[in-house]
Amino acid sequence: QQQVKQSPQSLIVQKGGISIINCAYENTAFDYFPWYQQFPGKGPALLIAIRPDVSEKKEGRFTISFNKSAKQFSLHIMDSQPGDSATYFCAATLGGDYKLSFGAGTTVTVRA
Amino acid sequence: KAGVTQTPRYLIKTRGQQVTLSCSPISGHRSVSWYQQTPGQGLQFLFEYFSETQRNKGNFPGRFSGRQFSNSRSEMNVSTLELGDSALYLCASSLVQDNSPLHFGNGTRLTVT
């Protein structure tokens, strides 16, 4: 049973556009929600993370929006660049627990 | 600071054989986790070790096992390999504190023929 559902599976965006990836979770006990970025041949790398006591967190061109009541969170990539082309994974876990539940991943392609 | 190092990068084994994968965490990181990544199932948690003790385990059969040494280095073993075990096996290390991020290695690509 997948505890974190991620959509879309893939998306194509023009350079300078906005990429939006959505995730929904089941377990209301989750209290830490990281996003990972993975390039081909590499392991996932932490991009940005949020806790449910915050509704939005921004780091550079990357923003997480969090809706606790809906059990949903999303990643917005502003001013998308070709170098952002990668697979993005949302995840969720209990604080202090290193068992991450990952979404299925979204492959983002940014066209120059 | 060196990242998480996994060896070997690629491995080809035959059904029924066993395999051992190695992981060296970032210096100072005492928690090591293992994940399996496949196109069909995505990223799935295998187990996590801290201070040579397994603290958490995912839903994998007993053929999958691991261990951690006193220097925090870790190994995972898969016995009686099956075709479905073909995957990218990722190791991640972390400081031992709440919400400390996982730092992943580049994985070992295991192919079972």
Side-chain angles (χ1 to χ4, degrees):
Chain A
Q1 180 185 0
Q2 193 175 24
Q3 295 200 63
V4 180
K5 296 184 179 179
Q6 183 173 346
S7 63
Q9 185 175 4
S10 63
L11 68 90
I12 299 173
V13 62
Q14 293 297 316
K15 180 181 175 182
I18 302 173
S19 303
I20 301 174
I21 306 170
N22 300 300
C23 287
Y25 62 97
E26 298 290 327
N27 188 345
T28 54
F30 286 149
D31 62 359
Y32 180 65
F33 302 87
W35 285 86
Y36 282 83
Q37 178 189 55
Q38 186 177 28
F39 293 104
K42 301 291 187 181
L46 179 67
L47 195 60
I48 185 173
I50 197 169
R51 297 191 64 171
D53 53 351
V54 175
S55 61
E56 185 175 283
K57 183 175 181 180
K58 182 177 181 179
E59 289 185 4
R61 297 183 294 106
F62 300 91
T63 299
I64 301 178
S65 298
F66 190 88
N67 186 329
K68 187 175 180 179
S69 61
K71 295 188 290 183
Q72 294 177 347
F73 58 112
S74 61
L75 176 70
H76 290 60
I77 306 173
M78 314 299 287
D79 187 25
S80 296
Q81 300 297 311
D84 297 332
S85 296
T87 300
Y88 294 81
F89 294 93
C90 61
T93 189
L94 302 171
D97 184 340
Y98 298 89
K99 179 180 179 180
L100 287 174
S101 295
F102 281 92
T106 297
T107 300
V108 174
T109 302
V110 182
R111 300 275 192 222
Chain B
K1 203 178 227 185
V4 176
T5 303
Q6 292 187 247
T7 56
R9 283 300 310 275
Y10 302 93
L11 209 47
I12 300 175
K13 290 287 187 178
T14 304
R15 261 186 313 174
Q17 288 185 316
Q18 74 166 14
V19 67
T20 299
L21 312 181
S22 181
C23 172
S24 293
I26 291 173
S27 177
H29 287 193
R30 296 172 61 196
S31 170
V32 174
S33 305
W34 288 88
Y35 287 79
Q36 182 196 63
Q37 185 174 24
T38 60
Q41 299 299 317
L43 281 152
Q44 293 188 290
F45 173 80
L46 281 156
F47 27 65
E48 185 254 342
Y49 286 88
F50 168 70
S51 195
E52 302 178 64
T53 301
Q54 186 182 92
R55 295 199 298 184
N56 212 336
K57 189 178 189 304
N59 297 321
F60 280 83
R63 300 184 298 106
F64 292 81
S65 63
R67 60 177 176 168
Q68 186 182 34
F69 302 96
S70 58
N71 61 358
S72 296
R73 194 176 67 85
S74 178
E75 289 180 347
M76 68 163 282
N77 183 276
V78 188
S79 62
T80 319
L81 284 166
E82 300 177 359
L83 295 179
D85 296 334
S86 294
L88 180 67
Y89 289 89
L90 292 160
C91 170
S93 73
S94 177
L95 293 169
V96 183
Q97 60 189 54
D98 280 5
N99 301 330
S100 182
L102 295 185
H103 297 265
F104 284 87
N106 290 329
T108 293
R109 171 74 64 185
L110 172 64
T111 302
V112 182
T113 62

